[in-house]
Amino acid sequence: MSVDNLVGRRRVLAGGGAAFLLAALEGCGQGILKSGRVDTSAPPLQPRLQLPPLHASPDRITRITVCTRPFRAEGPRLDLEQIGSKTIVHNYGHGGSGWSLSWGSSSIAAQKAMATGARDIAVIGCGALGLTSGLLLQRAGAHVTIYAKDLPPNVRSSLATGVWSPDSRICLEEHATPSFNALWENMARQSFLTYQTLLGLPGDPVEFIDTYGVRDDAERQTPPTPPADDRPPFADLQRKLIGDLIPNSEDFAPGTHPFGARYVKRYPMMMFNLTAYARLLMSDFLANGGKIEISEFHSPADFASLRQSTLINATGYGARALFGDESVIPVRGQLARMIPQPDIHYGLFYQHVSFIPRRDGLVFQVTGEDDYYGYDDAGTTPDRAEAEHAVNTIAGLYT
Ligand SMILES: Cc1cc2nc3c(=O)[nH]c(=O)nc-3n(C[C@H](O)[C@H](O)[C@H](O)COP(=O)(O)OP(=O)(O)OC[C@H]3O[C@@H](n4cnc5c(N)ncnc54)[C@H](O)[C@@H]3O)c2cc1C
């Protein structure tokens, strides 16, 4: 990964001594003589973080997308429901964690569907949860048909940020009971392991990047930020339950990185290049003999027209209307997409804005001060001002 570009200052100077680098090093005030030569009597210099600059400007925005996270205060719905002659296995309501938890959650749903004895199984929905449900059912020996109103790239899943975020708006803290925590941990660990099998593939559907959290002051931010008012906090499960999967972070003091007098923390992060990844899931599903039919269901009674008696319901936010489940709360999220920049393999987080270097288009996003940002907002009209604010905030790091 090209972001591991911690180049010793001595090595950089020996390799060319560009004036630009000298100027940068002088900013650190150590080991450089006024003549511009290296003071070899000085103690070894601290390595300096070198990162290729990002070309971030609003005129490079190619698309602004908005979508709603399917949040449920009590977490995803994974129970069985009998409707007429059909057994429905629910697999929806994953908030901001749907991609991250998909393999683990869909594995539970697939096991429940297989336990009915059926081997010809319908999956309703073709997003992150529907596709992984379909693939896992196939691996368990079932014939699978996906029925969905929309397919990637026209599903909500295709409008996600695309990072490993397994506890993002997954439930409220008050619902993170010991049994929910055990379920979540199982889903998260299983998904994490499955994602490791998807690294290194052509098109990089899944890859690790380094992300730099940038702060203006030395005070350490400990995410997640609790809500400023008396609303109940969201669950924070990752550090508590799967801390062993989180690699160590590394701090960079002012003067040892390209972002001026700021404080920087580097941490590795798993990223999903969703265009390539969704295509991979679709093509694997079809190559395994899976069928896809475009259908819209207006109520569960419409399932009577299907030949299959066992169904996995992976309709995401659509379950709110289809099943009248008002426990599904929309949490609006907007991405500004920008012309890809192939030499950028690092992410940034600064002043509540995130940047992800997706291969299928750079992603800028205002994340808000806490997880209530966008809560109960089903509006999907793009906000150009918000998009430009996201881009300009990140661009400001390079001035
Ligand atoms: C801005 C934003 C950023 C996000 N970032 C991340 C992230 O970085 N990492 C992460 O893990 N998660 C992230 N998420 C969350 C993630 O995108 C969702 O949890 C996930 O996409 C839900 O997937 P799904 O398959 O349940 O639903 P969907 O993708 O909405 O798929 C639902 C499927 O069901 C079909 N359907 C729905 N209703 C009907 C109906 N009545 N009849 C027929 N078909 C129907 C749809 O056509 C579609 O095929 C983000 C979400 C948002 C909004």
Side-chain angles (χ1 to χ4, degrees):
M1 217 168 352
S2 66
V3 281
D4 287 330
N5 263 342
L6 269 175
V7 183
R9 278 189 260 181
R10 284 172 197 275
R11 209 179 109 205
V12 168
L13 289 169
F20 142 82
L21 282 172
L22 281 173
L25 295 175
E26 273 170 341
C28 304
Q30 276 185 347
I32 310 293
L33 298 172
K34 280 208 173 113
S35 65
R37 292 217 303 275
V38 178
D39 177 2
T40 49
S41 65
L45 295 165
Q46 193 179 1
R48 183 180 162 86
L49 178 65
Q50 305 283 319
L51 296 171
L54 175 67
H55 304 308
S57 64
D59 59 294
R60 294 172 71 87
I61 295 175
T62 52
R63 193 176 173 211
I64 302 172
T65 61
V66 184
C67 115
T68 46
R69 300 170 181 88
F71 171 72
R72 295 179 82 237
E74 59 267 52
R77 186 171 178 197
L78 284 163
D79 61 317
L80 253 67
E81 189 177 7
Q82 196 67 34
I83 298 182
S85 61
K86 310 293 183 188
T87 303
I88 318 286
V89 182
H90 292 294
N91 189 16
Y92 70 87
H94 298 77
S97 310
W99 279 109
S100 306
L101 294 177
S102 57
W103 290 104
S105 183
S106 296
S107 157
I108 293 167
Q111 281 167 30
K112 288 183 178 177
M114 294 298 285
T116 65
R119 292 297 175 264
D120 181 13
I121 297 178
V123 173
I124 315 299
C126 196
L129 278 302
L131 282 166
T132 48
S133 295
L135 281 161
L136 290 167
L137 286 168
Q138 288 175 329
R139 289 177 198 172
H143 297 286
V144 187
T145 306
I146 290 179
Y147 300 88
K149 182 163 56 100
D150 296 302
L151 308 180
N154 299 320
V155 293
R156 285 186 166 80
S157 292
S158 296
L159 306 181
T161 314
V163 294
W164 168 252
S165 57
D167 64 356
S168 167
R169 296 177 173 96
I170 192 60
C171 72
L172 290 181
E173 189 178 276
E174 63 200 47
H175 292 287
T177 59
S179 68
F180 179 82
N181 287 356
L183 174 81
W184 179 87
E185 182 176 346
N186 174 9
M187 292 192 290
R189 287 190 185 278
Q190 199 167 340
S191 284
F192 187 84
L193 279 181
T194 307
Y195 275 119
Q196 305 321 299
T197 69
L198 294 164
L199 292 166
L201 294 175
D204 288 310
V206 179
E207 63 180 315
F208 273 91
I209 57 161
D210 278 348
T211 287
Y212 297 90
V214 184
R215 305 181 311 278
D216 290 320
D217 54 46
E219 199 180 308
R220 186 161 187 269
Q221 289 168 350
T222 43
T225 318
D229 50 30
D230 57 3
R231 287 185 287 185
F234 288 75
D236 173 19
L237 304 175
Q238 207 176 158
R239 281 176 298 162
K240 193 165 62 183
L241 300 174
I242 56 167
D244 54 304
L245 300 183
I246 304 174
N248 289 340
S249 59
E250 190 178 350
D251 288 309
F252 293 89
T256 64
H257 58 73
F259 305 120
R262 297 183 177 94
Y263 295 81
V264 172
K265 186 179 285 295
R266 173 166 66 186
Y267 48 95
M269 181 185 267
M270 191 158 54
M271 180 177 80
F272 315 130
N273 289 303
L274 292 180
T275 306
Y277 180 40
R279 277 179 172 245
L280 175 73
L281 297 180
M282 289 275 283
S283 61
D284 280 2
F285 176 75
L286 294 170
N288 292 342
K291 302 271 182 287
I292 296 180
E293 286 189 24
I294 305 296
S295 321
E296 179 167 6
F297 303 93
H298 299 283
S299 85
D302 290 350
F303 296 148
S305 63
L306 302 179
R307 67 168 190 276
Q308 295 90 345
S309 58
T310 297
L311 284 59
I312 291 183
N313 167 31
T315 50
Y317 184 68
R320 183 180 160 106
L322 182 57
F323 284 84
D325 182 354
E326 297 200 352
S327 71
V328 181
I329 308 290
V331 185
R332 182 187 187 280
Q334 172 174 298
L335 310 184
R337 307 300 302 276
M338 196 177 277
I339 300 170
Q341 199 181 324
D343 59 329
I344 300 289
H345 293 280
Y346 61 89
L348 292 163
F349 186 78
Y350 179 54
Q351 291 186 346
H352 307 300
V353 173
S354 80
F355 160 72
I356 305 294
R358 285 214 348 232
R359 306 288 174 100
D360 50 349
L362 306 178
V363 174
F364 298 78
Q365 183 180 6
V366 174
T367 58
E369 292 198 356
D370 58 45
D371 282 344
Y372 278 102
Y373 189 71
Y375 186 82
D376 205 9
D377 182 352
T380 53
T381 307
D383 179 344
R384 177 85 197 180
E386 180 184 295
E388 294 199 5
H389 168 73
V391 171
N392 286 330
T393 300
I394 295 298
L397 285 171
Y398 295 87
T399 53

